[in-house]
Amino acid sequence: MSCTRLYIGRVSARLPRSTLSTTPTSTIMTTSLATRALSSSPSSSTSADSHPKPLYASQPSLPHLPVPTLSSTLHKYIETLQPLQTPEEHQKSRKTIESFLSSATAKTLQQRLEARAAERDSWLSEWWNDAAYMGYRGRIVPNVSYFYVHKHGLGKGKNQAQRAAELVRATVEFKKLVDSERLEPEKVKGKPLCMASYKYLFNAVRVPTSPADVPLAYEPEKHHHIVVLSNDRYFKVDTKGRSASDLVKAFEQIKKLSADKPGSGVGVLTADDRDVWTEARRHLLSISNKNVQGVQDIESAILLVCLDNDPAPATEDARAWAYWAGGHDRTGKGKGFNRWFDKHEIIVDSNGESGFNGEHSMLDGTPTLRLNEFMLGSIDKGAIPLELPEGEKSTEPMPAPEEIVFELDKHLQDVVAKSKKGFEDEMALQDLKMVNFTGYGKEVIKTHKTSPDAWAQLIKQLAFYRLFNRPGVTYESCQTRQFLLGRTEVIRSVSNEAKAFVEAMADSSKSDAEREKLFRAAVTRHIQYSAWAADAQGVDRHLFGLKKLVRTEKGEEIPEIFTDPAFAKSSHWEMSTSQLSSKYLDGWGYGEVVEDGYGLSYAIGDNEIRWCVTTKNNDAEKFGKALVAAAEDVRKMMDNAKKSGSKL
């Protein structure tokens, strides 16, 4: 899809969405970016390998997302409810579910879903895109977007303009591989994944419309500019045929031009409720053609580069606040300053440290992680030419940065002021803590011959249980991109086995050998459910699809399985968890998904485990300490059990 016009009203088109994935992307590196495509997983013999344009070559051969059987899904559902319920509650829910399974209604809904799957590339993608992202009308920050904190010190010795120029040069090289389709597809166990979302990695934007937003991708070969934000002002900068030295000069010019006064603050509207931004954008475009061109210049850009002012954030928490919410004050609370959240943004502070803010509606975390690893890794290893060789350089002089100035009337000025205050108030409710546990990582975990991801999940279960004396309803994201237009399924991490383990950790009568046995049973259960989720055989997406096909507009009643309190309770994600790991990041994060819950992004390194805890419960630091204590105690228990020979 490409576009050269702006959308003002509702657009009926719907495009697939994806979410952050638990499948980690391996470090991406190359020694000859001009001729070699990159892969985020080990190469193998596939139809794409010998194709001159491998990026999308495997798309026609990808299987379609399956529809699980009713029996399989509902029996898994029954099992995942049990650790969250009293025996009486569970018996009632079991009867409701079994009654539904044997009903004509269930058979009818299943047949409708199978018919939908037979006639579409994906029975889920359009629905999920609308329900989870485009139809969402709240603030995308803190509720949708995510951020990466680039490893501290990677830009050592470089000032802000120099570091930003390096990152842009690397981004342009990666964009060339995507645009030419020479980039190797991501793979898992040698099998290519769906790469449809890569079409929205560059020159793309989430456009606010009513009643649902739309994703928009501009033609990449016609748009080679970035938009640079400095002091909340916007500047269009050409990148085609430009060396890092050209970009440094442009960025230095921008810093000088923007130093005298801040801009209009229009960007904060992208952090407001989507309906507020929809109306404000419509009004902005109606004021003048200059505004229309300015918005189009921003939305069609490769991506945005934010050059933040002094003072640079000094702590890990402050850096996270800046990359997540835009700007920072003494407490690190975000202001939405110097940002345009509808697009991906590279952020560079005045010390040359950097991060990334990801617009989440159009693609999941693995493509943007791949981009970030390419940027950071290729510069770190000196694998790309910062100064272009003759023949690749533009023969035209570098044009001066072109400032994008918006014309605002009194009404829009008032809306911007109200949005700024509203966003500050919203982010003041948020609490964030970056936790870097250096006691051990996957190297130690593997000595116990167990899954690092399952181990990390059980740490979270133990921490939550100790704080609240019960299991916490947990969402772990698992990618389903082995299927065409696949995105994610839920790993329901709370199991009967996990509950038994955390209870044993609190029971002084239990030996470490007994606890280890329960721990390994919980790990085995988690691995099994993870495999089901990756194969699109989980619970949540199937139930979502069945419920969508109840024709209430024709008088059909919602089946009791969906009105049973267990349905809402078991999907009230108190812990929203997702793993992305990279040696080039100091962490990453996103907001909690329920008012009383926690966002728990995590990364498992060789010798560390990192978490970002976000919450409105005002106890992020407390939860972080509980995670560290749980991590220490799990290792102590496992070491003790190993020494004792695990004799029961």
Side-chain angles (χ1 to χ4, degrees):
M1 175 182 177
S2 64
C3 186
T4 56
R5 66 184 186 279
L6 297 179
Y7 286 109
I8 298 177
R10 181 192 176 191
V11 179
S12 61
R14 294 288 184 269
L15 296 174
R17 152 272 192 200
S18 67
T19 60
L20 297 179
S21 166
T22 61
T23 303
T25 301
S26 62
T27 301
I28 300 164
M29 193 52 53
T30 184
T31 55
S32 179
L33 303 184
T35 60
R36 183 178 174 188
L38 308 179
S39 176
S40 66
S41 60
S43 62
S44 64
S45 178
T46 70
S47 61
D49 288 341
S50 59
H51 197 281
K53 293 185 175 182
L55 183 59
Y56 304 118
S58 296
Q59 293 297 108
S61 63
L62 292 175
H64 287 205
L65 194 73
V67 177
T69 66
L70 278 171
S71 178
S72 172
T73 294
L74 295 179
H75 281 97
K76 291 188 188 90
Y77 181 45
I78 290 171
E79 184 179 329
T80 63
L81 292 181
Q82 190 169 9
L84 306 174
Q85 296 180 303
T86 65
E88 295 76 19
E89 289 172 337
H90 187 63
Q91 186 61 27
K92 181 179 181 299
S93 293
R94 177 185 287 273
K95 288 182 179 179
T96 298
I97 296 166
E98 289 175 345
S99 175
F100 176 73
L101 177 58
S102 61
S103 69
T105 297
K107 183 177 180 180
T108 297
L109 295 178
Q110 179 76 355
Q111 288 173 341
R112 290 174 185 172
L113 192 57
E114 290 170 350
R116 178 182 173 89
E119 64 185 21
R120 296 170 180 265
D121 287 342
S122 169
W123 63 262
L124 176 63
S125 63
E126 184 178 341
W127 279 343
W128 193 248
N129 176 57
D130 184 78
Y133 285 115
M134 293 305 174
Y136 176 71
R137 308 319 291 158
R139 300 177 187 272
I140 61 174
V141 176
N143 301 318
V144 179
S145 297
Y146 58 94
F147 63 90
Y148 299 142
V149 180
H150 293 167
K151 189 172 182 62
H152 189 273
L154 286 176
K156 186 176 182 180
K158 303 293 175 64
N159 63 30
Q160 184 181 41
Q162 291 169 333
R163 185 57 176 167
E166 289 181 337
L167 295 172
V168 171
R169 272 289 303 123
T171 297
V172 169
E173 290 300 321
F174 192 75
K175 181 182 184 308
K176 289 178 183 177
L177 293 171
V178 173
D179 293 349
S180 66
E181 302 180 20
R182 290 183 294 121
L183 188 70
E184 288 290 334
E186 296 174 48
K187 299 171 188 174
V188 170
K189 296 181 179 178
K191 295 181 179 180
L193 302 180
C194 181
M195 303 298 286
S197 59
Y198 272 69
K199 295 177 181 178
Y200 305 103
L201 189 56
F202 302 113
N203 305 108
V205 65
R206 172 180 180 147
V207 180
T209 64
S210 182
D213 290 0
V214 294
L216 186 61
Y218 286 77
E219 295 173 292
E221 65 274 12
K222 294 184 179 180
H223 301 280
H224 301 279
H225 68 282
I226 57 172
V227 168
V228 179
L229 284 67
S230 178
N231 203 16
D232 227 358
R233 291 163 68 173
Y234 310 92
F235 297 84
K236 184 177 179 181
V237 176
D238 180 47
T239 69
K240 188 174 184 180
R242 305 303 172 184
S243 294
S245 57
D246 297 323
L247 297 169
V248 168
K249 291 177 183 177
F251 296 161
E252 288 175 342
Q253 281 184 277
I254 288 169
K255 294 295 291 183
K256 290 179 181 178
L257 290 169
S258 62
D260 57 339
K261 62 178 181 179
S264 61
V266 170
V268 77
L269 294 170
T270 65
D272 212 324
D273 289 353
R274 302 308 290 177
D275 288 335
V276 172
W277 174 214
T278 296
E279 292 305 315
R281 181 178 180 276
R282 181 181 290 115
H283 187 73
L284 177 70
L285 298 177
S286 72
I287 292 174
S288 69
N289 289 333
K290 186 177 182 180
N291 288 349
V292 172
Q293 185 60 53
V295 169
Q296 183 164 325
D297 285 342
I298 291 173
E299 294 186 342
S300 63
I302 295 171
L303 44 62
L304 307 181
V305 177
C306 307
L307 304 178
D308 282 0
N309 298 335
D310 285 325
T315 66
E316 286 192 8
D317 289 354
R319 290 183 71 201
W321 274 110
Y323 304 149
W324 183 28
H328 51 89
D329 57 22
R330 292 177 183 174
T331 63
K333 295 296 197 299
K335 296 180 177 179
F337 187 74
N338 211 46
R339 300 288 184 270
W340 191 282
F341 291 116
D342 287 354
K343 288 179 66 72
H344 300 316
E345 301 175 292
I346 296 171
I347 303 156
V348 186
D349 69 29
S350 56
N351 286 341
E353 300 295 343
S354 59
F356 183 88
N357 186 280
E359 199 292 295
H360 194 6
S361 66
M362 295 174 283
L363 68 173
D364 66 11
T366 46
T368 56
L369 179 62
R370 192 176 185 185
L371 165 64
N372 277 261
E373 286 193 313
F374 183 99
M375 280 194 299
L376 302 171
S378 60
I379 296 168
D380 183 41
K381 300 298 183 182
I384 64 167
L386 297 179
E387 299 302 307
L388 289 174
E390 294 299 328
E392 292 188 39
K393 285 184 180 181
S394 174
T395 58
E396 300 294 325
M398 179 75 174
E402 177 185 341
E403 184 165 10
I404 299 168
V405 181
F406 292 112
E407 298 175 347
L408 307 187
D409 58 14
K410 180 62 167 59
H411 168 72
L412 208 51
Q413 290 172 354
D414 291 343
V415 172
V416 168
K418 186 177 180 180
S419 287
K420 180 175 173 56
K421 177 64 165 57
F423 187 59
E424 289 176 344
D425 291 345
E426 173 68 27
M427 295 312 297
L429 300 175
Q430 294 288 332
D431 193 16
L432 176 150
K433 187 63 184 176
M434 301 298 288
V435 182
N436 183 17
F437 172 69
T438 57
Y440 63 89
K442 62 185 177 184
E443 287 187 358
V444 165
I445 295 172
K446 287 181 178 180
T447 66
H448 291 283
K449 298 180 180 180
T450 190
S451 158
D453 184 69
W455 181 299
Q457 283 290 325
L458 288 167
I459 287 173
K460 287 188 274 289
Q461 292 296 322
L462 180 57
F464 191 98
Y465 185 84
R466 286 173 166 178
L467 290 175
F468 300 102
N469 199 35
R470 62 176 178 82
V473 183
T474 307
Y475 179 120
E476 182 183 356
S477 179
C478 180
Q479 72 175 8
T480 55
R481 286 173 56 208
Q482 64 174 301
F483 302 103
L484 185 63
L485 303 184
R487 292 297 178 261
T488 59
E489 176 59 276
V490 182
I491 301 171
R492 290 190 163 212
S493 297
V494 180
S495 64
N496 290 319
E497 292 83 357
K499 183 180 180 183
F501 162 69
V502 298
E503 288 175 341
M505 290 293 288
D507 185 349
S508 60
S509 70
K510 298 291 186 182
S511 68
D512 283 335
E514 291 173 308
R515 291 166 177 159
E516 187 228 16
K517 183 177 181 180
L518 294 169
F519 178 86
R520 291 194 181 278
V523 167
T524 298
R525 190 69 185 83
H526 186 270
I527 292 171
Q528 176 63 78
Y529 205 102
S530 299
W532 284 332
D535 286 338
Q537 297 294 319
V539 166
D540 292 270
R541 301 298 183 254
H542 189 192
L543 291 181
F544 171 82
L546 294 173
K547 187 179 179 184
K548 286 287 290 183
L549 287 168
V550 179
R551 296 171 179 169
T552 54
E553 74 281 2
K554 294 185 178 180
E556 292 183 0
E557 293 186 4
I558 300 291
E560 187 180 359
I561 187 176
F562 300 120
T563 59
D564 177 17
F567 182 73
K569 180 179 182 178
S570 70
S571 58
H572 184 78
W573 307 117
E574 295 172 297
M575 290 193 286
S576 175
T577 76
S578 185
Q579 182 203 158
L580 288 173
S581 300
S582 171
K583 70 177 184 179
Y584 287 106
L585 300 184
D586 277 340
W588 69 291
Y590 49 82
E592 69 286 338
V593 301
V594 295
E595 287 289 311
D596 57 345
Y598 300 87
L600 287 170
S601 61
Y602 61 109
I604 307 171
D606 288 341
N607 298 293
E608 65 184 11
I609 306 175
R610 293 179 180 268
W611 293 276
C612 172
V613 184
T614 58
T615 184
K616 288 185 178 179
N617 294 337
N618 200 35
D619 63 352
E621 185 172 3
K622 181 180 179 181
F623 201 102
K625 289 179 178 178
L627 287 168
V628 169
E632 291 171 341
D633 290 346
V634 167
R635 181 186 181 180
K636 182 179 178 181
M637 177 273 295
M638 293 294 285
D639 285 347
N640 287 342
K642 190 175 184 179
K643 289 175 184 177
S644 69
S646 300
K647 294 179 181 179
L648 293 175

